[in-house]
Amino acid sequence: MCLAIPGKIQSIESMYGGAVKIAKVSFGGIIKEASLEMVPSANVGDYVLVHVGVAISKVNEEEANKVFGYLKEAGELDELYDPAL
Amino acid sequence: MKYISEFRSPEIVDALLKEIKRTVHSDWNIMEVCGGQTHSLVKNGLLNMLPSNVQMIHGPGCPVCVTPVSLIDKAVHLAMEHDVILCSFGDMIRVPGSGMSLLEAKAKGGDVRILYSPLEAVKIAKDNPDKEVVFFAVGFETTAPANALSVVHAHREGIKNYSILTSHVLVPPAMEAIMSDDDCRVDGFLAAGHVCAIMGISEYYPLVEKYKIPIVVTGFEPVDLLEGILMVVKQLESRQYRLENQYTRVVETEGNKNAIDTIDKIFEVTSREWRGIGNIPFSGYAVKENYSHYDANRKFNIDITEAHEDPTCLSGDVMKGKIKPHQCPNFGNRCTPVKPLGAPMVSSEGACAAYYHYNMTGATVDR
């Protein structure tokens, strides 16, 4: 039920004089609409976590990249991370 | 996919497993609260990779599983007797009620529709002004903003034929109920990451202090879960208890203010009946008086005779972590996903369904 998936904002449409912002969000190529009313500062290119059609959080890239610390420790950080994906 | 594939990296999983094995010396029971975490642990085989002295106990974090039978009966009644368009998340559709499930109601001619988002139900109401549209609004704090937002949208557009049948539940009171049980054997918690993305983490400080247990706010991918487990184990082994946040890429300390404001606008805290567990004070949301026109409970006169369910179903003990699904005598024989006795066998996040689908039996679990 609490499943939420990170996706990249492709475009944003404003409605009701900007009160409602609906984004087209790409989940690995699959595009779905999501409301940005809970994360109004999100922009095109940002990654947001979407739950039942509503973006609930912006993904913090700096925090996300800390995961690679485990690989650095093990000396295994090679081709795993491709930021273009 | 970015932000998913790296958190499923076999190399990082391996590094974390080695670190957990290096760290753990005693026997510990750690409860993952959220059903999504349970499924990720089982589906990715993590339960079998953890050292045997780290036992994961599966918590009550499946809103579909704890929705009372009487409310499912109400939803079925609305679909069959009040001629409404009854919209629901797919998870809810096969959960047994006293008489029938929503899927059986649909088969018998009820207009039951499975939706991805409550916002779609508002559009259906707009397109069908001569019909009443009810959304079966179940969920934890994660889902509350979306369900509240559907009411905000309907109100803004002047849509009068929309309402929600609410069964919202809250995580911290459920954790309190588990810890206050004399038979509780939980040593530490993985708190539900997406619930905290909405509400923030401060609600958990009192639990840490009162019960002197580690709580680590944790995500859902294999790397998240193992990192969360490692953080709990490190605290337990050094006899510490703190609130920590593993899921920092998503969860901010103060939560999402816009989402909290939207919840507060539409909902108020109320006591709730949890299926299999009982009444828990201040453990759910109900629609505020100001928005009563959007509350299906107030809008429709629903006269339900007493709800009943199979008395041999042990789902309450499963959700409180007293037994594991395969230890229930009904598991896999009298109770299967096709013919479930209780909700955890049929919900996509139910612990019983996870054990059944991924063949977790005595031979594979009790190591």
Side-chain angles (χ1 to χ4, degrees):
Chain A
M1 256 315 292
C2 288
L3 181 72
I5 308 283
K8 189 176 187 180
I9 298 178
Q10 305 285 302
S11 61
I12 298 174
E13 186 188 346
S14 283
M15 298 155 75
Y16 301 105
V20 177
K21 290 204 290 182
I22 303 289
K24 290 209 177 343
V25 182
S26 170
F27 302 94
I30 295 167
I31 312 284
K32 280 195 83 76
E33 283 192 347
S35 160
L36 294 185
E37 284 157 277
M38 304 299 150
V39 283
S41 66
N43 287 314
V44 172
D46 286 343
Y47 276 80
V48 285
L49 209 69
V50 177
H51 171 68
V52 298
V54 177
I56 58 169
S57 177
K58 259 200 316 188
V59 179
N60 182 323
E61 187 167 356
E62 198 178 315
E63 291 294 326
N65 287 338
K66 286 182 180 170
V67 71
F68 297 109
Y70 288 105
L71 286 186
K72 280 180 189 152
E73 279 172 28
E76 294 173 24
L77 185 63
D78 294 325
E79 69 279 359
L80 178 77
Y81 180 55
D82 179 2
L85 289 177
Chain B
M1 265 168 72
K2 193 177 175 186
Y3 298 128
I4 291 188
S5 52
E6 56 269 49
F7 293 92
R8 294 178 182 173
S9 150
E11 291 83 1
I12 304 180
V13 163
D14 195 43
L16 284 164
L17 278 168
K18 281 180 186 154
E19 185 65 17
I20 291 170
K21 282 172 187 162
R22 265 199 300 270
T23 307
V24 70
H25 298 291
S26 307
D27 292 341
W28 302 112
N29 293 318
I30 302 172
M31 176 176 275
E32 85 281 1
V33 172
C34 177
Q37 292 171 327
T38 304
H39 265 254
S40 188
L41 284 169
V42 177
K43 180 179 160 188
N44 291 297
L46 299 179
L47 290 187
N48 298 336
M49 290 191 252
L50 285 167
S52 58
N53 43 354
V54 176
Q55 284 293 318
M56 299 307 294
I57 301 184
H58 316 307
C62 162
V64 172
C65 303
V66 299
T67 298
V69 181
S70 58
L71 217 68
I72 295 167
D73 293 348
K74 275 188 187 178
V76 168
H77 186 81
L78 283 171
M80 299 304 286
E81 308 296 332
H82 289 261
D83 195 31
V84 310
I85 300 175
L86 196 290
C87 304
S88 169
F89 294 123
D91 277 27
M92 208 63 224
I93 217 89
R94 286 190 299 133
V95 179
S98 299
M100 62 176 115
S101 66
L102 281 169
L103 191 63
E104 288 165 311
K106 185 177 174 67
K108 287 185 163 66
D111 193 347
V112 177
R113 303 189 190 183
I114 301 171
L115 302 185
Y116 160 67
S117 169
L119 303 183
E120 294 170 335
V122 181
K123 285 184 191 154
I124 291 173
K126 194 176 181 181
D127 295 342
N128 296 273
D130 54 333
K131 294 271 279 187
E132 284 291 331
V133 175
V134 178
F135 187 78
F136 198 1
V138 302
F140 277 100
E141 293 92 326
T142 315
T143 316
N147 287 334
L149 197 57
S150 74
V151 172
V152 172
H153 281 198
H155 185 65
R156 184 190 290 130
E157 295 203 37
I159 295 168
K160 306 273 191 222
N161 59 323
Y162 177 72
S163 59
I164 57 177
L165 182 63
T166 320
S167 176
H168 260 293
V169 279
L170 303 172
V171 166
M175 287 167 68
E176 169 87 46
I178 287 164
M179 287 310 295
S180 61
D181 191 322
D182 291 340
D183 297 333
C184 174
R185 50 197 186 94
V186 176
D187 299 309
F189 280 106
L190 303 185
H194 292 151
V195 166
C196 297
I198 302 295
M199 304 303 288
I201 66 173
S202 60
E203 296 179 295
Y204 300 90
Y205 283 113
L207 284 169
V208 168
E209 287 303 321
K210 183 173 176 184
Y211 296 103
K212 303 191 177 355
I213 42 163
I215 299 181
V216 176
V217 176
T218 303
F220 296 79
E221 297 299 336
V223 165
D224 292 321
L225 289 160
L226 290 176
E227 192 178 24
I229 290 166
L230 176 62
M231 290 163 83
V232 171
V233 168
K234 277 183 176 171
Q235 287 195 46
L236 289 169
E237 287 292 344
S238 57
R239 302 295 187 268
Q240 295 179 339
Y241 52 92
R242 290 191 308 278
L243 178 62
E244 292 185 290
N245 183 7
Q246 177 276 329
Y247 203 28
T248 50
R249 70 182 184 280
V250 167
V251 175
E252 293 186 24
T253 304
E254 65 278 11
N256 181 328
K257 190 178 178 304
N258 292 299
I260 293 170
D261 288 348
T262 306
I263 292 171
D264 287 346
K265 186 173 183 178
I266 304 299
F267 293 128
E268 61 192 0
V269 173
T270 183
S271 295
R272 277 267 172 223
E273 185 72 24
W274 294 53
R275 186 176 190 169
I277 294 177
N279 192 283
I280 304 179
F282 311 112
S283 67
Y285 287 134
V287 178
K288 278 184 172 169
E289 182 71 38
N290 293 353
Y291 290 89
S292 58
H293 185 71
Y294 298 98
D295 183 359
N297 261 318
R298 292 181 173 111
K299 195 172 195 177
F300 299 95
N301 181 21
I302 311 169
D303 188 18
I304 297 281
T305 51
E306 204 171 312
H308 58 87
E309 58 188 311
D310 193 303
T312 65
C313 175
L314 300 182
S315 58
D317 287 345
V318 171
M319 286 188 287
K320 283 184 275 195
K322 291 184 177 179
I323 60 167
K324 295 205 171 176
H326 68 286
Q327 292 166 334
C328 172
N330 299 313
F331 179 83
N333 45 68
R334 282 190 66 227
C335 182
T336 64
V338 175
K339 209 168 168 14
L341 293 183
M345 182 54 98
V346 70
S347 161
S348 63
E349 288 192 338
C352 302
Y355 272 55
Y356 188 89
H357 285 301
Y358 299 107
N359 196 27
M360 300 291 284
T361 60
T364 53
V365 182
D366 303 324
R367 293 163 296 131

